[in-house]
Amino acid sequence: MSIRFTTKARRGVVALTVAAGLALGVAGCGGGGHDEKPKPSASTSKTGGSKPSAQEGEASEPLAEVKGPNGLLLQITSAVRDSGGFVTVSGDMKNDSSGVVVIPAALSGNETEIINNGRSLGGATLVDSKGKKRYYVLRDTDGRPLTTTGFSSIKPGETIDVFLQFPAPPSGTTDVSFQLPLFSSAAIQISG
């Protein structure tokens, strides 16, 4: 029994170490400062974590605005390339309807590994049509998507901060298409 406990304890320590490392890595790529209106429902995972904050000097106009089902509206405010080899897309998901909107399961995508980790934006992709490549949301070592998770509904008029991390296209590629199931697609430009 003590061997089983030791093995479970080691797994727990390893999982905690990986989660802490990912949280620090994600927080470190966010740029200047912390988000001024943190929302626990928009965390990276149910076990805690961090999300990149808005970039300093970020344009007041969104890069793109895409409409989804039942009055959901996604405003993409930034798409920033990091020297670590990934792109962080940040924005706001808003309920523009007069009733509570249940987040559709389709936004998580159809991969079992992502679906098993709860509601997320794991079904999103970036498409580089010039390079003919599609980039999927990154995952941590436990298969959790590196995107906002843990939200199941949005109240009327409520807005939640969202982020998604993707592998970075080649450095010369700045124009990509952002796609999220059930939403219209949008052309966005990667900075950094």
Side-chain angles (χ1 to χ4, degrees), residues 114-148:
I114 290 180
I115 293 170
N116 288 340
N117 286 293
R119 296 281 164 94
S120 72
L121 302 176
T125 58
L126 290 181
V127 177
D128 171 11
S129 36
K130 189 184 278 186
K132 298 181 181 169
K133 289 196 175 188
R134 179 181 303 261
Y135 299 90
Y136 294 88
V137 169
L138 291 168
R139 294 172 195 100
D140 67 14
T141 55
D142 291 327
R144 291 184 299 254
L146 296 182
T147 179
T148 304

PDB file of all heavy atoms in Angstrom, residues 114-148:
ATOM      1  N   ILE A 114      -9.632  16.403 -25.720  1.00  0.00           N
ATOM      2  CA  ILE A 114     -10.044  17.756 -25.327  1.00  0.00           C
ATOM      3  C   ILE A 114     -11.432  17.728 -24.699  1.00  0.00           C
ATOM      4  O   ILE A 114     -11.680  18.369 -23.682  1.00  0.00           O
ATOM      5  CB  ILE A 114      -9.999  18.719 -26.527  1.00  0.00           C
ATOM      6  CG1 ILE A 114      -8.532  18.968 -26.903  1.00  0.00           C
ATOM      7  CG2 ILE A 114     -10.683  20.033 -26.200  1.00  0.00           C
ATOM      8  CD1 ILE A 114      -8.336  19.901 -28.064  1.00  0.00           C
ATOM      9  N   ILE A 115     -12.352  16.981 -25.282  1.00  0.00           N
ATOM     10  CA  ILE A 115     -13.718  16.904 -24.765  1.00  0.00           C
ATOM     11  C   ILE A 115     -13.728  16.394 -23.326  1.00  0.00           C
ATOM     12  O   ILE A 115     -14.503  16.861 -22.490  1.00  0.00           O
ATOM     13  CB  ILE A 115     -14.599  16.005 -25.670  1.00  0.00           C
ATOM     14  CG1 ILE A 115     -14.795  16.674 -27.030  1.00  0.00           C
ATOM     15  CG2 ILE A 115     -15.938  15.706 -25.019  1.00  0.00           C
ATOM     16  CD1 ILE A 115     -15.445  15.778 -28.065  1.00  0.00           C
ATOM     17  N   ASN A 116     -12.843  15.455 -23.013  1.00  0.00           N
ATOM     18  CA  ASN A 116     -12.781  14.892 -21.664  1.00  0.00           C
ATOM     19  C   ASN A 116     -12.356  15.908 -20.608  1.00  0.00           C
ATOM     20  O   ASN A 116     -12.475  15.646 -19.416  1.00  0.00           O
ATOM     21  CB  ASN A 116     -11.829  13.691 -21.620  1.00  0.00           C
ATOM     22  CG  ASN A 116     -12.408  12.490 -22.317  1.00  0.00           C
ATOM     23  OD1 ASN A 116     -13.610  12.390 -22.522  1.00  0.00           O
ATOM     24  ND2 ASN A 116     -11.545  11.568 -22.723  1.00  0.00           N
ATOM     25  N   ASN A 117     -11.858  17.062 -21.023  1.00  0.00           N
ATOM     26  CA  ASN A 117     -11.428  18.096 -20.088  1.00  0.00           C
ATOM     27  C   ASN A 117     -12.453  19.203 -19.908  1.00  0.00           C
ATOM     28  O   ASN A 117     -12.134  20.257 -19.378  1.00  0.00           O
ATOM     29  CB  ASN A 117     -10.081  18.676 -20.547  1.00  0.00           C
ATOM     30  CG  ASN A 117      -8.952  17.711 -20.270  1.00  0.00           C
ATOM     31  OD1 ASN A 117      -8.620  17.440 -19.128  1.00  0.00           O
ATOM     32  ND2 ASN A 117      -8.387  17.152 -21.328  1.00  0.00           N
ATOM     33  N   GLY A 118     -13.682  18.987 -20.339  1.00  0.00           N
ATOM     34  CA  GLY A 118     -14.752  19.965 -20.126  1.00  0.00           C
ATOM     35  C   GLY A 118     -14.878  20.967 -21.257  1.00  0.00           C
ATOM     36  O   GLY A 118     -14.181  20.896 -22.268  1.00  0.00           O
ATOM     37  N   ARG A 119     -15.797  21.923 -21.073  1.00  0.00           N
ATOM     38  CA  ARG A 119     -16.061  22.938 -22.091  1.00  0.00           C
ATOM     39  C   ARG A 119     -14.843  23.841 -22.255  1.00  0.00           C
ATOM     40  O   ARG A 119     -14.217  24.253 -21.287  1.00  0.00           O
ATOM     41  CB  ARG A 119     -17.265  23.796 -21.728  1.00  0.00           C
ATOM     42  CG  ARG A 119     -18.564  23.052 -21.674  1.00  0.00           C
ATOM     43  CD  ARG A 119     -19.133  22.830 -23.079  1.00  0.00           C
ATOM     44  NE  ARG A 119     -20.152  21.813 -23.066  1.00  0.00           N
ATOM     45  CZ  ARG A 119     -21.449  22.037 -22.947  1.00  0.00           C
ATOM     46  NH1 ARG A 119     -21.891  23.253 -22.824  1.00  0.00           N
ATOM     47  NH2 ARG A 119     -22.295  21.038 -22.954  1.00  0.00           N
ATOM     48  N   SER A 120     -14.544  24.140 -23.509  1.00  0.00           N
ATOM     49  CA  SER A 120     -13.407  24.996 -23.820  1.00  0.00           C
ATOM     50  C   SER A 120     -13.598  25.566 -25.212  1.00  0.00           C
ATOM     51  O   SER A 120     -14.626  25.346 -25.852  1.00  0.00           O
ATOM     52  CB  SER A 120     -12.104  24.182 -23.768  1.00  0.00           C
ATOM     53  OG  SER A 120     -12.021  23.301 -24.874  1.00  0.00           O
ATOM     54  N   LEU A 121     -12.589  26.261 -25.683  1.00  0.00           N
ATOM     55  CA  LEU A 121     -12.553  26.744 -27.054  1.00  0.00           C
ATOM     56  C   LEU A 121     -11.554  25.907 -27.854  1.00  0.00           C
ATOM     57  O   LEU A 121     -10.946  26.371 -28.810  1.00  0.00           O
ATOM     58  CB  LEU A 121     -12.168  28.227 -27.087  1.00  0.00           C
ATOM     59  CG  LEU A 121     -13.088  29.161 -26.300  1.00  0.00           C
ATOM     60  CD1 LEU A 121     -12.560  30.588 -26.324  1.00  0.00           C
ATOM     61  CD2 LEU A 121     -14.511  29.103 -26.831  1.00  0.00           C
ATOM     62  N   GLY A 122     -11.391  24.662 -27.457  1.00  0.00           N
ATOM     63  CA  GLY A 122     -10.407  23.754 -28.040  1.00  0.00           C
ATOM     64  C   GLY A 122     -10.649  23.376 -29.483  1.00  0.00           C
ATOM     65  O   GLY A 122      -9.776  22.800 -30.122  1.00  0.00           O
ATOM     66  N   GLY A 123     -11.799  23.702 -30.046  1.00  0.00           N
ATOM     67  CA  GLY A 123     -12.081  23.391 -31.439  1.00  0.00           C
ATOM     68  C   GLY A 123     -11.592  24.457 -32.410  1.00  0.00           C
ATOM     69  O   GLY A 123     -11.717  24.309 -33.614  1.00  0.00           O
ATOM     70  N   ALA A 124     -11.011  25.533 -31.888  1.00  0.00           N
ATOM     71  CA  ALA A 124     -10.558  26.634 -32.734  1.00  0.00           C
ATOM     72  C   ALA A 124      -9.310  26.252 -33.530  1.00  0.00           C
ATOM     73  O   ALA A 124      -8.517  25.417 -33.100  1.00  0.00           O
ATOM     74  CB  ALA A 124     -10.271  27.863 -31.878  1.00  0.00           C
ATOM     75  N   THR A 125      -9.146  26.893 -34.679  1.00  0.00           N
ATOM     76  CA  THR A 125      -7.955  26.694 -35.506  1.00  0.00           C
ATOM     77  C   THR A 125      -7.530  28.026 -36.121  1.00  0.00           C
ATOM     78  O   THR A 125      -8.336  28.951 -36.256  1.00  0.00           O
ATOM     79  CB  THR A 125      -8.204  25.695 -36.662  1.00  0.00           C
ATOM     80  OG1 THR A 125      -9.279  26.166 -37.479  1.00  0.00           O
ATOM     81  CG2 THR A 125      -8.518  24.306 -36.143  1.00  0.00           C
ATOM     82  N   LEU A 126      -6.260  28.099 -36.471  1.00  0.00           N
ATOM     83  CA  LEU A 126      -5.731  29.179 -37.301  1.00  0.00           C
ATOM     84  C   LEU A 126      -5.376  28.545 -38.633  1.00  0.00           C
ATOM     85  O   LEU A 126      -4.744  27.487 -38.664  1.00  0.00           O
ATOM     86  CB  LEU A 126      -4.470  29.796 -36.687  1.00  0.00           C
ATOM     87  CG  LEU A 126      -4.622  30.620 -35.429  1.00  0.00           C
ATOM     88  CD1 LEU A 126      -3.266  31.175 -34.994  1.00  0.00           C
ATOM     89  CD2 LEU A 126      -5.614  31.755 -35.611  1.00  0.00           C
ATOM     90  N   VAL A 127      -5.763  29.178 -39.725  1.00  0.00           N
ATOM     91  CA  VAL A 127      -5.491  28.632 -41.047  1.00  0.00           C
ATOM     92  C   VAL A 127      -4.580  29.595 -41.808  1.00  0.00           C
ATOM     93  O   VAL A 127      -4.898  30.776 -41.967  1.00  0.00           O
ATOM     94  CB  VAL A 127      -6.793  28.390 -41.839  1.00  0.00           C
ATOM     95  CG1 VAL A 127      -6.483  27.883 -43.241  1.00  0.00           C
ATOM     96  CG2 VAL A 127      -7.693  27.413 -41.097  1.00  0.00           C
ATOM     97  N   ASP A 128      -3.451  29.055 -42.238  1.00  0.00           N
ATOM     98  CA  ASP A 128      -2.510  29.786 -43.084  1.00  0.00           C
ATOM     99  C   ASP A 128      -2.764  29.309 -44.504  1.00  0.00           C
ATOM    100  O   ASP A 128      -2.260  28.273 -44.926  1.00  0.00           O
ATOM    101  CB  ASP A 128      -1.077  29.475 -42.632  1.00  0.00           C
ATOM    102  CG  ASP A 128      -0.017  30.002 -43.581  1.00  0.00           C
ATOM    103  OD1 ASP A 128      -0.343  30.786 -44.491  1.00  0.00           O
ATOM    104  OD2 ASP A 128       1.155  29.602 -43.410  1.00  0.00           O
ATOM    105  N   SER A 129      -3.589  30.060 -45.255  1.00  0.00           N
ATOM    106  CA  SER A 129      -3.947  29.588 -46.600  1.00  0.00           C
ATOM    107  C   SER A 129      -2.776  29.688 -47.562  1.00  0.00           C
ATOM    108  O   SER A 129      -2.653  28.864 -48.465  1.00  0.00           O
ATOM    109  CB  SER A 129      -5.166  30.315 -47.152  1.00  0.00           C
ATOM    110  OG  SER A 129      -5.209  31.638 -46.782  1.00  0.00           O
ATOM    111  N   LYS A 130      -1.880  30.624 -47.360  1.00  0.00           N
ATOM    112  CA  LYS A 130      -0.711  30.741 -48.240  1.00  0.00           C
ATOM    113  C   LYS A 130       0.199  29.522 -48.055  1.00  0.00           C
ATOM    114  O   LYS A 130       0.653  28.919 -49.003  1.00  0.00           O
ATOM    115  CB  LYS A 130       0.061  32.022 -47.932  1.00  0.00           C
ATOM    116  CG  LYS A 130       1.148  32.320 -48.943  1.00  0.00           C
ATOM    117  CD  LYS A 130       1.949  33.551 -48.551  1.00  0.00           C
ATOM    118  CE  LYS A 130       1.218  34.804 -48.972  1.00  0.00           C
ATOM    119  NZ  LYS A 130       2.024  36.029 -48.749  1.00  0.00           N
ATOM    120  N   GLY A 131       0.453  29.134 -46.792  1.00  0.00           N
ATOM    121  CA  GLY A 131       1.299  27.973 -46.493  1.00  0.00           C
ATOM    122  C   GLY A 131       0.540  26.662 -46.512  1.00  0.00           C
ATOM    123  O   GLY A 131       1.112  25.599 -46.304  1.00  0.00           O
ATOM    124  N   LYS A 132      -0.785  26.739 -46.706  1.00  0.00           N
ATOM    125  CA  LYS A 132      -1.653  25.566 -46.755  1.00  0.00           C
ATOM    126  C   LYS A 132      -1.522  24.701 -45.503  1.00  0.00           C
ATOM    127  O   LYS A 132      -1.375  23.487 -45.568  1.00  0.00           O
ATOM    128  CB  LYS A 132      -1.390  24.743 -48.008  1.00  0.00           C
ATOM    129  CG  LYS A 132      -1.679  25.516 -49.265  1.00  0.00           C
ATOM    130  CD  LYS A 132      -1.460  24.711 -50.510  1.00  0.00           C
ATOM    131  CE  LYS A 132      -1.774  25.619 -51.678  1.00  0.00           C
ATOM    132  NZ  LYS A 132      -1.390  25.115 -52.946  1.00  0.00           N
ATOM    133  N   LYS A 133      -1.619  25.367 -44.316  1.00  0.00           N
ATOM    134  CA  LYS A 133      -1.547  24.644 -43.048  1.00  0.00           C
ATOM    135  C   LYS A 133      -2.629  25.121 -42.103  1.00  0.00           C
ATOM    136  O   LYS A 133      -3.046  26.279 -42.140  1.00  0.00           O
ATOM    137  CB  LYS A 133      -0.179  24.863 -42.389  1.00  0.00           C
ATOM    138  CG  LYS A 133       0.933  24.165 -43.111  1.00  0.00           C
ATOM    139  CD  LYS A 133       2.144  24.082 -42.246  1.00  0.00           C
ATOM    140  CE  LYS A 133       3.198  23.264 -42.975  1.00  0.00           C
ATOM    141  NZ  LYS A 133       4.328  22.971 -42.162  1.00  0.00           N
ATOM    142  N   ARG A 134      -3.068  24.203 -41.260  1.00  0.00           N
ATOM    143  CA  ARG A 134      -4.052  24.495 -40.226  1.00  0.00           C
ATOM    144  C   ARG A 134      -3.380  24.227 -38.884  1.00  0.00           C
ATOM    145  O   ARG A 134      -2.766  23.189 -38.685  1.00  0.00           O
ATOM    146  CB  ARG A 134      -5.271  23.588 -40.393  1.00  0.00           C
ATOM    147  CG  ARG A 134      -6.340  23.794 -39.350  1.00  0.00           C
ATOM    148  CD  ARG A 134      -7.514  22.848 -39.566  1.00  0.00           C
ATOM    149  NE  ARG A 134      -8.078  22.997 -40.893  1.00  0.00           N
ATOM    150  CZ  ARG A 134      -9.173  23.706 -41.172  1.00  0.00           C
ATOM    151  NH1 ARG A 134      -9.816  24.321 -40.223  1.00  0.00           N
ATOM    152  NH2 ARG A 134      -9.609  23.789 -42.405  1.00  0.00           N
ATOM    153  N   TYR A 135      -3.526  25.172 -37.952  1.00  0.00           N
ATOM    154  CA  TYR A 135      -2.913  25.058 -36.628  1.00  0.00           C
ATOM    155  C   TYR A 135      -4.009  24.901 -35.578  1.00  0.00           C
ATOM    156  O   TYR A 135      -4.925  25.725 -35.507  1.00  0.00           O
ATOM    157  CB  TYR A 135      -2.058  26.294 -36.324  1.00  0.00           C
ATOM    158  CG  TYR A 135      -0.921  26.462 -37.302  1.00  0.00           C
ATOM    159  CD1 TYR A 135      -1.088  27.205 -38.471  1.00  0.00           C
ATOM    160  CD2 TYR A 135       0.299  25.855 -37.075  1.00  0.00           C
ATOM    161  CE1 TYR A 135      -0.052  27.346 -39.379  1.00  0.00           C
ATOM    162  CE2 TYR A 135       1.346  25.989 -37.983  1.00  0.00           C
ATOM    163  CZ  TYR A 135       1.159  26.732 -39.128  1.00  0.00           C
ATOM    164  OH  TYR A 135       2.186  26.865 -40.025  1.00  0.00           O
ATOM    165  N   TYR A 136      -3.900  23.841 -34.783  1.00  0.00           N
ATOM    166  CA  TYR A 136      -4.881  23.545 -33.741  1.00  0.00           C
ATOM    167  C   TYR A 136      -4.419  24.085 -32.398  1.00  0.00           C
ATOM    168  O   TYR A 136      -3.221  24.293 -32.180  1.00  0.00           O
ATOM    169  CB  TYR A 136      -5.092  22.025 -33.640  1.00  0.00           C
ATOM    170  CG  TYR A 136      -5.737  21.449 -34.875  1.00  0.00           C
ATOM    171  CD1 TYR A 136      -4.967  21.024 -35.950  1.00  0.00           C
ATOM    172  CD2 TYR A 136      -7.120  21.350 -34.977  1.00  0.00           C
ATOM    173  CE1 TYR A 136      -5.553  20.521 -37.101  1.00  0.00           C
ATOM    174  CE2 TYR A 136      -7.717  20.841 -36.124  1.00  0.00           C
ATOM    175  CZ  TYR A 136      -6.932  20.428 -37.177  1.00  0.00           C
ATOM    176  OH  TYR A 136      -7.517  19.946 -38.310  1.00  0.00           O
ATOM    177  N   VAL A 137      -5.355  24.276 -31.478  1.00  0.00           N
ATOM    178  CA  VAL A 137      -5.038  24.754 -30.131  1.00  0.00           C
ATOM    179  C   VAL A 137      -4.037  23.792 -29.480  1.00  0.00           C
ATOM    180  O   VAL A 137      -4.182  22.570 -29.568  1.00  0.00           O
ATOM    181  CB  VAL A 137      -6.334  24.847 -29.278  1.00  0.00           C
ATOM    182  CG1 VAL A 137      -6.020  25.088 -27.815  1.00  0.00           C
ATOM    183  CG2 VAL A 137      -7.240  25.944 -29.809  1.00  0.00           C
ATOM    184  N   LEU A 138      -3.018  24.364 -28.845  1.00  0.00           N
ATOM    185  CA  LEU A 138      -2.014  23.554 -28.144  1.00  0.00           C
ATOM    186  C   LEU A 138      -2.625  22.867 -26.926  1.00  0.00           C
ATOM    187  O   LEU A 138      -3.651  23.302 -26.407  1.00  0.00           O
ATOM    188  CB  LEU A 138      -0.853  24.450 -27.690  1.00  0.00           C
ATOM    189  CG  LEU A 138       0.035  25.007 -28.799  1.00  0.00           C
ATOM    190  CD1 LEU A 138       0.947  26.088 -28.244  1.00  0.00           C
ATOM    191  CD2 LEU A 138       0.839  23.897 -29.434  1.00  0.00           C
ATOM    192  N   ARG A 139      -1.962  21.810 -26.456  1.00  0.00           N
ATOM    193  CA  ARG A 139      -2.402  21.074 -25.262  1.00  0.00           C
ATOM    194  C   ARG A 139      -1.229  20.929 -24.310  1.00  0.00           C
ATOM    195  O   ARG A 139      -0.085  20.890 -24.733  1.00  0.00           O
ATOM    196  CB  ARG A 139      -2.873  19.682 -25.645  1.00  0.00           C
ATOM    197  CG  ARG A 139      -4.094  19.710 -26.480  1.00  0.00           C
ATOM    198  CD  ARG A 139      -4.414  18.317 -27.004  1.00  0.00           C
ATOM    199  NE  ARG A 139      -5.369  18.464 -28.067  1.00  0.00           N
ATOM    200  CZ  ARG A 139      -5.070  18.428 -29.342  1.00  0.00           C
ATOM    201  NH1 ARG A 139      -3.846  18.227 -29.731  1.00  0.00           N
ATOM    202  NH2 ARG A 139      -6.004  18.594 -30.244  1.00  0.00           N
ATOM    203  N   ASP A 140      -1.541  20.796 -23.016  1.00  0.00           N
ATOM    204  CA  ASP A 140      -0.480  20.514 -22.061  1.00  0.00           C
ATOM    205  C   ASP A 140      -0.232  19.006 -22.037  1.00  0.00           C
ATOM    206  O   ASP A 140      -0.855  18.248 -22.793  1.00  0.00           O
ATOM    207  CB  ASP A 140      -0.798  21.086 -20.671  1.00  0.00           C
ATOM    208  CG  ASP A 140      -1.968  20.410 -19.975  1.00  0.00           C
ATOM    209  OD1 ASP A 140      -2.413  19.315 -20.395  1.00  0.00           O
ATOM    210  OD2 ASP A 140      -2.450  20.962 -18.973  1.00  0.00           O
ATOM    211  N   THR A 141       0.660  18.560 -21.167  1.00  0.00           N
ATOM    212  CA  THR A 141       1.033  17.143 -21.140  1.00  0.00           C
ATOM    213  C   THR A 141      -0.098  16.234 -20.689  1.00  0.00           C
ATOM    214  O   THR A 141      -0.042  15.032 -20.915  1.00  0.00           O
ATOM    215  CB  THR A 141       2.256  16.917 -20.233  1.00  0.00           C
ATOM    216  OG1 THR A 141       1.970  17.448 -18.940  1.00  0.00           O
ATOM    217  CG2 THR A 141       3.481  17.590 -20.806  1.00  0.00           C
ATOM    218  N   ASP A 142      -1.131  16.790 -20.059  1.00  0.00           N
ATOM    219  CA  ASP A 142      -2.281  15.987 -19.651  1.00  0.00           C
ATOM    220  C   ASP A 142      -3.421  16.052 -20.658  1.00  0.00           C
ATOM    221  O   ASP A 142      -4.524  15.573 -20.391  1.00  0.00           O
ATOM    222  CB  ASP A 142      -2.791  16.453 -18.278  1.00  0.00           C
ATOM    223  CG  ASP A 142      -1.817  16.126 -17.166  1.00  0.00           C
ATOM    224  OD1 ASP A 142      -1.127  15.085 -17.269  1.00  0.00           O
ATOM    225  OD2 ASP A 142      -1.727  16.908 -16.204  1.00  0.00           O
ATOM    226  N   GLY A 143      -3.178  16.687 -21.806  1.00  0.00           N
ATOM    227  CA  GLY A 143      -4.192  16.751 -22.849  1.00  0.00           C
ATOM    228  C   GLY A 143      -5.173  17.898 -22.709  1.00  0.00           C
ATOM    229  O   GLY A 143      -6.102  18.012 -23.493  1.00  0.00           O
ATOM    230  N   ARG A 144      -4.973  18.761 -21.712  1.00  0.00           N
ATOM    231  CA  ARG A 144      -5.873  19.909 -21.541  1.00  0.00           C
ATOM    232  C   ARG A 144      -5.517  20.979 -22.567  1.00  0.00           C
ATOM    233  O   ARG A 144      -4.346  21.286 -22.768  1.00  0.00           O
ATOM    234  CB  ARG A 144      -5.756  20.483 -20.130  1.00  0.00           C
ATOM    235  CG  ARG A 144      -6.301  19.560 -19.065  1.00  0.00           C
ATOM    236  CD  ARG A 144      -6.249  20.231 -17.705  1.00  0.00           C
ATOM    237  NE  ARG A 144      -4.886  20.566 -17.341  1.00  0.00           N
ATOM    238  CZ  ARG A 144      -4.162  19.926 -16.445  1.00  0.00           C
ATOM    239  NH1 ARG A 144      -4.675  18.896 -15.799  1.00  0.00           N
ATOM    240  NH2 ARG A 144      -2.936  20.308 -16.160  1.00  0.00           N
ATOM    241  N   PRO A 145      -6.532  21.567 -23.223  1.00  0.00           N
ATOM    242  CA  PRO A 145      -6.247  22.592 -24.219  1.00  0.00           C
ATOM    243  C   PRO A 145      -5.736  23.871 -23.560  1.00  0.00           C
ATOM    244  O   PRO A 145      -6.178  24.234 -22.473  1.00  0.00           O
ATOM    245  CB  PRO A 145      -7.608  22.824 -24.877  1.00  0.00           C
ATOM    246  CG  PRO A 145      -8.603  22.440 -23.839  1.00  0.00           C
ATOM    247  CD  PRO A 145      -7.968  21.328 -23.052  1.00  0.00           C
ATOM    248  N   LEU A 146      -4.796  24.536 -24.223  1.00  0.00           N
ATOM    249  CA  LEU A 146      -4.281  25.807 -23.711  1.00  0.00           C
ATOM    250  C   LEU A 146      -5.173  26.924 -24.241  1.00  0.00           C
ATOM    251  O   LEU A 146      -4.850  27.654 -25.166  1.00  0.00           O
ATOM    252  CB  LEU A 146      -2.823  26.003 -24.122  1.00  0.00           C
ATOM    253  CG  LEU A 146      -1.848  24.991 -23.549  1.00  0.00           C
ATOM    254  CD1 LEU A 146      -0.419  25.299 -23.968  1.00  0.00           C
ATOM    255  CD2 LEU A 146      -1.944  24.915 -22.035  1.00  0.00           C
ATOM    256  N   THR A 147      -6.327  26.983 -23.634  1.00  0.00           N
ATOM    257  CA  THR A 147      -7.355  27.954 -23.973  1.00  0.00           C
ATOM    258  C   THR A 147      -8.249  28.128 -22.758  1.00  0.00           C
ATOM    259  O   THR A 147      -8.160  27.372 -21.799  1.00  0.00           O
ATOM    260  CB  THR A 147      -8.174  27.484 -25.193  1.00  0.00           C
ATOM    261  OG1 THR A 147      -9.186  28.457 -25.471  1.00  0.00           O
ATOM    262  CG2 THR A 147      -8.842  26.149 -24.959  1.00  0.00           C
ATOM    263  N   THR A 148      -9.104  29.103 -22.811  1.00  0.00           N
ATOM    264  CA  THR A 148     -10.053  29.316 -21.725  1.00  0.00           C
ATOM    265  C   THR A 148     -10.941  28.082 -21.588  1.00  0.00           C
ATOM    266  O   THR A 148     -11.422  27.552 -22.580  1.00  0.00           O
ATOM    267  CB  THR A 148     -10.917  30.555 -22.021  1.00  0.00           C
ATOM    268  OG1 THR A 148     -10.049  31.663 -22.237  1.00  0.00           O
ATOM    269  CG2 THR A 148     -11.850  30.863 -20.867  1.00  0.00           C
TER     270      THR A 148
END
